[in-house]
Amino acid sequence: DLKKSFPYHDSATELNTHFLASDIRNIAVGYWKRYHRSGVSMLKRAYDKAGIVSAQRIYRTIRGQRDKFFFLAGEFNRFGYILIGKQKFQDAISLFQMGIDCFPKDWNLHDSLGEAYLKAGKKEQSIKHYRTSLKLNEKNENARKVLAKLSAE
């Protein structure tokens, strides 16, 4: 019966372990969703209503409220690239700066901020953040390639 219902599990013990791990994960995720809200989604909502100054104001208000809000580096990155796609380079720069305030050692946010600065025509700031990104992650080939191109100009 067990093999028919769950063909990828060899034993009842393995199956119980699988379900236990799944239950623990679901409880943890459910807890977070119930008691915490995405800070970046709050920033996006504020931005959509009133622009980057409003998003910055919300960020300053909620950044220390870790018991109510959570921030993920990837969410800052996704939202920043949405702004870059809309040619809102200065807004993207401000958003990536908020992300780096939360995650100062996130090489990808520094890489993204370097790109936003470059697209905004701010070469020196771009170089600074690409270098920081490369320092945090020596395997970041994008930063290495961009820095080589910028130094050749």
Side-chain angles (χ1 to χ4, degrees):
D1 274 346
L2 183 66
K3 275 290 190 197
K4 288 180 185 174
S5 300
F6 303 97
Y8 301 107
H9 298 282
D10 292 334
S11 69
T13 303
E14 183 181 332
L15 185 62
N16 287 336
T17 303
H18 168 77
F19 284 129
L20 179 61
S22 180
D23 287 344
I24 290 170
R25 185 182 67 249
N26 289 337
I27 289 167
V29 168
Y31 173 83
W32 273 97
K33 286 184 177 179
R34 183 172 178 191
Y35 296 105
H36 297 81
R37 293 171 62 188
S38 166
V40 175
S41 68
M42 297 289 293
L43 300 180
K44 186 174 184 326
R45 200 169 305 130
Y47 180 86
D48 290 343
K49 284 184 182 178
I52 195 64
V53 173
S54 178
Q56 289 169 321
R57 190 175 322 116
I58 294 293
Y59 174 72
R60 285 190 301 273
T61 302
I62 68 174
R63 72 177 169 198
Q65 299 179 28
R66 299 293 175 137
D67 59 327
K68 296 178 185 171
F69 299 96
F70 65 90
F71 290 100
L72 300 174
E75 288 184 349
F76 279 108
N77 218 40
R78 279 188 293 280
F79 184 26
Y81 274 103
I82 288 170
L83 297 175
I84 286 174
K86 293 179 178 181
Q87 308 290 305
K88 302 281 189 177
F89 303 128
Q90 192 56 50
D91 292 352
I93 288 167
S94 295
L95 187 81
F96 288 133
Q97 287 171 333
M98 288 182 256
I100 288 171
D101 182 57
C102 279
F103 304 98
K105 296 195 183 293
D106 188 287
W107 67 270
N108 197 32
L109 282 171
H110 282 281
D111 186 89
S112 299
L113 181 55
E115 182 177 343
Y117 273 128
L118 191 59
K119 289 184 181 282
K122 299 179 179 182
K123 183 178 173 182
E124 291 306 314
Q125 292 98 322
S126 176
I127 289 170
K128 175 186 171 204
H129 285 281
Y130 276 119
R131 283 183 179 152
T132 301
S133 178
L134 194 57
K135 188 175 174 183
L136 293 168
N137 176 10
E138 295 174 355
K139 295 179 182 178
N140 182 356
E141 289 303 317
N142 180 61
R144 193 178 313 282
K145 193 181 333 178
V146 173
L147 286 168
K149 181 181 175 187
L150 290 174
S151 65
E153 291 179 353

